[in-house]
Amino acid sequence: MVKVTTICCIGAGYVGGPTMAMIALKCPHIKVTVVDISQPRIDAWNSDELPIYEPGLDEVVKACRGKNLFFSTDVAGAIRESQMIFVSVNTPTKKTGLGRGKAADLTYWESAARTIAAESKDNKIIVEKSTVPVRTAEAIEKVLKRNCSDATVQFDILSNPEFLAEGTAISDLTAPDRVLIGGKIENEAGQAAVEALAEVYANWVPKDQIITANLWSAELSKLAANAFLAQRISSINAMSALCEATGADVAQVAHSIGTDSRIGPKFLNASVGFGGSCFQKDILNLAYICECHGLKEVADYWYSVVGMNDYQKSRFVRRVVSAMFNTIRNKKIAMLGFAFKKDTGDTRETPAIDVGKGLIEDGAQLAIYDPQVKEDQIAYDMEGMMGNITCYKTAKEALQDAHAVTVMTEWDEFKSYDWKEIYDVMQKPAFVFDGRLILDHDHLREIGFIVYALGKPIDPFIKSAEGA
């Protein structure tokens, strides 16, 4: 078994950066180099303002950077000197060609593999950290072997999918539920590679929480995990629509079923919809793989999870419009939160995008405040619609003279606001549309707000405005 002392990671994003920082922190005897072709991104990792926001990440990076943790654009040099190479590049959904809108685009992965092959002069352990389709390792192995000039170089490919949740990535890395390592455990070289990576994690993860599997099982497990989590969210969101129709309370329903030990309470919080870089992308990828294997019914089942998510967002927009007398043209609607979840600045697939577009299509003027998302990111996500959007540095400015408030992200600070003071500066009737169920709705009604809370009994004012 190889005793690993040098590691590099290709890709300095949401997964590669924090994961390598944690390995460096827990393994001071291992030199860890994170490389990326983006000079601005690497410059940010080497600065006091990291390119991503994640609670606790600053402290971990600053404890190791310059000691055994390095950030560089010298991809070739890092590959040459490393025994183990993690690949954590983007695998977005294809936008064109065969499988567009469903299949994973492995362009960056293949490019990384070609670079690894060209620069490798000795044996390497290659670790898939990106989320990839089943049997990607097989294709990557062919690229590596056919592009390496030295036929004696051996590449052992492992799958080590990440199971991080943005906002809690550092705690997830510090004390993971499990670490999954897939490899060719049926042969001696593959087993040795698996053991080498397991030995790295064993510096802080109990060995009984390090799971080994064959390559294909590990690759599929990541897609399956995200699909199952998203399915739970779509299931409770489907129940939220029924609760509104029947007068039930989705929070009470969720608590009731969550106390069943067979179900458990996690991922049963009704909301305006799931977002992030993984859930939708991975479900679509999973469904496409099912289609490719002739499993149409299985594919349709997983597509329905994404369909329910889209329905929940459009349903929220319809509720806002109908509650406000079917007229929101030129009305200022404050949007509290734009990130897809709290404690992150990530806006990928955030429900705020589709909800915002839906409101703007009906003529609304959006006033957006998020404590971590910068205006240029919002402008990128809402391209072509910034004429109807104003971004604010404070919530107070966003709420001044607003006709309504939509809560799109569950930031803790929103719960601590002086809502009586907010009510006094808003247009009347003042509406609150809580898409995250984080506010005290009874208190808001006592103040005078008209409140819509997903999955809760509908406010009589809203019923009458909708003609119910």
Side-chain angles (χ1 to χ4, degrees), residues 91-400:
T91 52
T93 303
K94 287 181 72 173
K95 293 182 178 179
T96 59
L98 188 65
R100 64 183 178 276
K102 307 175 203 175
D105 184 344
L106 298 179
T107 301
Y108 300 120
W109 224 120
E110 184 176 336
S111 175
R114 290 179 183 278
T115 304
I116 292 169
E119 299 297 337
S120 295
K121 307 302 179 189
D122 51 15
N123 295 346
K124 306 290 184 187
I125 297 174
I126 312 300
V127 184
E128 292 177 341
K129 204 65 183 170
S130 308
T131 303
V132 295
V134 185
R135 305 195 81 88
T136 295
E138 195 171 52
I140 295 305
E141 185 174 32
K142 292 174 182 176
V143 172
L144 289 166
K145 285 183 175 179
R146 283 168 170 73
N147 287 277
C148 185
S149 58
D150 187 343
T152 65
V153 172
Q154 179 178 312
F155 297 101
D156 290 299
I157 303 177
L158 304 178
S159 173
N160 176 218
E162 54 86 13
F163 297 103
L164 307 179
E166 287 185 45
T168 59
I170 297 304
S171 58
D172 293 342
L173 286 164
T174 303
D177 291 337
R178 79 290 200 199
V179 170
L180 176 60
I181 303 172
K184 292 186 176 181
I185 53 179
E186 63 278 5
N187 66 55
E188 188 175 327
Q191 183 62 39
V194 168
E195 290 173 2
L197 180 54
E199 196 65 28
V200 172
Y201 282 112
N203 282 282
W204 78 96
V205 179
K207 289 195 174 182
D208 61 356
Q209 289 173 229
I210 302 174
I211 303 169
T212 59
N214 69 41
L215 264 174
W216 322 133
S217 297
E219 287 181 336
L220 183 56
S221 292
K222 170 61 176 177
L223 297 179
N226 278 342
F228 272 59
L229 293 174
Q231 174 205 51
R232 283 176 69 97
I233 296 172
S234 281
S235 293
I236 198 63
N237 282 345
M239 292 304 302
S240 75
L242 183 58
C243 285
E244 290 174 26
T246 59
D249 185 326
V250 73
Q252 294 175 12
V253 172
H255 177 70
S256 176
I257 64 176
T259 54
D260 187 325
S261 60
R262 297 168 301 173
I263 298 173
K266 293 185 178 180
F267 282 79
L268 288 180
N269 296 318
S271 71
V272 68
F274 59 74
S277 64
C278 292
F279 280 3
Q280 178 163 310
K281 174 174 72 74
D282 290 355
I283 294 171
L284 292 174
N285 189 3
L286 179 64
Y288 180 68
I289 293 170
C290 293
E291 283 184 335
C292 291
H293 287 277
L295 303 173
K296 181 182 181 302
E297 291 80 4
V298 181
D300 288 345
Y301 173 76
W302 290 115
Y303 283 135
S304 73
V305 173
V306 175
M308 178 54 62
N309 196 53
D310 291 338
Y311 166 75
Q312 187 77 337
K313 290 180 285 189
S314 62
R315 191 172 76 82
F316 187 82
V317 172
R318 289 196 301 272
R319 187 67 81 179
V320 172
V321 175
S322 62
M324 297 177 71
F325 321 112
N326 282 311
T327 304
I328 61 172
R329 183 165 300 281
N330 294 325
K331 289 181 179 178
K332 180 181 179 180
I333 297 180
M335 184 175 278
L336 293 183
F338 197 83
F340 85 92
K341 64 184 288 189
K342 71 174 184 176
D343 294 333
T344 180
D346 194 353
T347 65
R348 288 176 290 181
E349 302 294 344
T350 175
I353 295 174
D354 286 339
V355 170
K357 288 178 178 178
L359 295 174
I360 289 172
E361 284 171 4
D362 232 272
Q365 295 291 326
L366 296 188
I368 301 177
Y369 165 73
D370 187 288
Q372 286 297 328
V373 180
K374 293 180 170 60
E375 182 173 353
D376 59 352
Q377 182 60 52
I378 293 173
Y380 175 81
D381 291 328
M382 303 297 288
E383 184 181 5
M385 293 192 167
M386 289 306 288
N388 286 67
I389 297 173
T390 305
C391 298
Y392 290 92
K393 301 286 188 185
T394 67
K396 185 177 180 179
E397 293 174 291
L399 292 160
Q400 181 74 42

